[in-house]
Amino acid sequence: MRVAITGAAGFLGSHLADRFLADGHEVIGYDNFLTGQPENLAHLARERRFDFVEHDVSEPFTVTGALGGVLHFASPASPPDYQRFPLETLRVGSLGTSNSLDIARAAGARFLLASTSEVYGDPAVHPQPETYWGYVNSVGERSMYDEAKRFAEATTMAYHRSCGVDTRIVRIFNTYGPRMRPHDGRVVSNFIVQALQGQPLTVYGNGQQTRSFCYVTDLIDGIYRLFLGRRVEPTNMGNPGEFTMLELAALVLELTGSNSTLEHRSLPADDPRQRKPDITTARTVLGWEPKVPLRDGLRRTIEYFRTVVTDGR
Ligand code: NAD
Ligand code: UDP
């Protein structure tokens, strides 16, 4: 099969490309490097089954030749990134999604949308099942991302219902691992890079807010299964292990052996207080659940960031 992946130079998009290539498929990647890095694809430079097109997918595009799938991963994902690029984020969630769906429709290809746990906002239901409709501030400081993804989900379902496109939606919960940008501002990359550089770990608020962290190989395995499976309705994917940011900071300090201190900063507006996926659907429908505990995933991610930080990136 030949698949198109938007956001292929990003953290998740590049791992997804690797996964399809490892299973013998052909991949054509699209990215405009808004938040991605060419280094994430450097290892594919000589791979004949991989093509890359530098393109802003919020602008229309066409793909020549047969296509079995379109996986739409293009979008800033880190809060500082999407807050720095609010209009780009809204455009890629709206226009980028319909452009990618148009490609799938024209080719008769399956489409998969990378959605997010942010569609649940600051959730009043805990853990979050797919049936929860969310609690989102439509004009708040995270709204450009949350509403873009909610709109992207609605667009995907409209193409499915009215144009017959075969669609999938994955709601991804916080995922971490090698190829995150060291300064993308997300908590895992921040804490690890700060610990490795002997700088204080920046804990926002009192650090009692929770997140559930999934290691990248687990997530990619789940997305691959979802893509090949039959379920059209949104499916949560993440690791249900739930940690406070203070617990995460302590674990990063332990695993890096760092003497860094903690420095509390103000809590960003609308920062969700708690988040944990209910993955009953993925377990039952796909037989999927994460395997890598946080401690092991962090060890592997720390090794990656050690090299990156030594390289001076
Ligand atoms: P990332 O920032 O590393 O990757 C996003 C990629 O999209 C980047 O390479 C960027 O350059 C590219 N991009 C952005 N706008 C584009 C445009 N208009 N045209 C072409 N390329 C564009 O982020 P990530 O963590 O890899 O996230 C990938 C996808 O997964 C995003 O859609 C994100 O919303 C979703 N997601 C990720 C997480 C997570 O924890 N990593 C959680 C929920 C959802
Ligand atoms: N956070 C933190 N220190 C940082 C970066 C983030 O304490 O240096 C907190 C942030 O306020 C949030 C949690 O960590 O409560 C997860 O933040 P991240 O940006 O990784 O993801 P998201 O908020 O999108 O879940």
Side-chain angles (χ1 to χ4, degrees):
M1 191 186 354
R2 185 161 171 260
V3 300
I5 299 179
T6 74
F11 162 50
L12 295 182
S14 62
H15 283 284
L16 197 62
D18 285 349
R19 177 57 190 264
F20 274 93
L21 290 168
D23 275 19
H25 302 296
E26 289 176 42
V27 174
I28 173 161
Y30 291 84
D31 206 294
N32 65 351
F33 299 114
L34 183 68
T35 58
Q37 9 182 41
E39 295 91 326
N40 288 346
L41 297 174
H43 62 290
L44 299 178
R46 287 161 193 269
E47 173 55 68
R48 280 184 305 162
R49 285 179 293 113
F50 180 73
D51 277 331
F52 180 75
V53 180
E54 187 170 344
H55 181 70
D56 175 352
V57 300
S58 298
E59 301 295 333
F61 61 111
T62 51
V63 182
T64 46
L67 208 56
V70 178
L71 297 103
H72 181 41
F73 278 66
S75 171
S78 157
D81 280 346
Y82 59 67
Q83 286 161 355
R84 197 156 43 103
F85 298 116
L87 302 184
E88 291 85 346
T89 302
L90 285 160
R91 282 169 56 82
V92 77
S94 52
L95 298 172
T97 301
S98 52
N99 288 338
S100 304
L101 276 154
D102 283 337
I103 298 293
R105 177 163 60 165
R110 184 167 292 176
F111 174 86
L112 183 143
L113 172 70
S115 185
T116 168
S117 53
E118 284 280 329
V119 300
Y120 301 124
D122 186 7
V125 171
H126 191 75
Q128 296 80 55
E130 289 91 350
T131 46
Y132 177 49
W133 289 354
Y135 183 62
V136 172
N137 178 352
S138 65
V139 293
E141 290 179 23
R142 299 170 83 100
S143 60
M144 72 293 283
Y145 183 67
D146 299 11
E147 296 295 7
K149 289 291 185 180
R150 289 169 70 96
F151 188 88
E153 289 197 1
T155 307
T156 301
M157 292 312 296
Y159 272 73
H160 174 72
R161 293 190 180 114
S162 65
C163 311
V165 180
D166 186 18
T167 57
R168 308 284 180 270
I169 297 175
V170 56
R171 289 187 180 150
I172 303 169
F173 286 64
N174 299 60
T175 299
Y176 68 99
R179 300 190 196 155
M180 297 179 88
R181 284 188 355 264
H183 301 290
D184 83 353
R186 291 186 262 199
V187 69
V188 174
S189 40
N190 270 9
F191 281 2
I192 294 178
V193 171
Q194 289 161 347
L196 292 177
Q197 295 184 331
Q199 295 164 355
L201 271 55
T202 51
V203 176
Y204 301 163
N206 63 11
Q208 293 298 343
Q209 70 272 34
T210 67
R211 293 293 185 274
S212 303
F213 298 102
C214 187
Y215 188 65
V216 62
T217 51
D218 279 335
L219 179 84
I220 296 296
D221 178 48
I223 291 175
Y224 193 69
R225 288 187 199 207
L226 180 70
F227 177 77
L228 295 179
R230 301 168 63 90
R231 181 179 162 85
V232 167
E233 297 76 22
T235 304
N236 285 343
M237 283 197 180
N239 190 321
E242 185 183 5
F243 297 85
T244 66
M245 295 312 101
L246 286 177
E247 288 169 333
L248 178 70
L251 197 49
V252 168
L253 290 179
E254 180 199 323
L255 297 174
T256 52
S258 168
N259 293 323
S260 288
T261 53
L262 302 188
E263 182 180 294
H264 285 268
R265 301 240 179 115
S266 55
L267 188 67
D270 295 339
D271 198 282
R273 281 159 298 173
Q274 53 181 4
R275 183 182 287 158
K276 170 183 165 131
D278 179 334
I279 59 164
T280 309
T281 303
R283 274 199 182 108
T284 342
V285 176
L286 304 170
W288 174 85
E289 64 181 359
K291 297 191 178 71
V292 183
L294 182 60
R295 180 174 280 276
D296 294 353
L298 283 179
R299 275 205 192 92
R300 299 183 209 176
T301 310
I302 289 165
E303 283 324 300
Y304 169 76
F305 277 119
R306 265 191 216 286
T307 330
V308 170
V309 168
T310 316
D311 281 357
R313 269 200 249 162

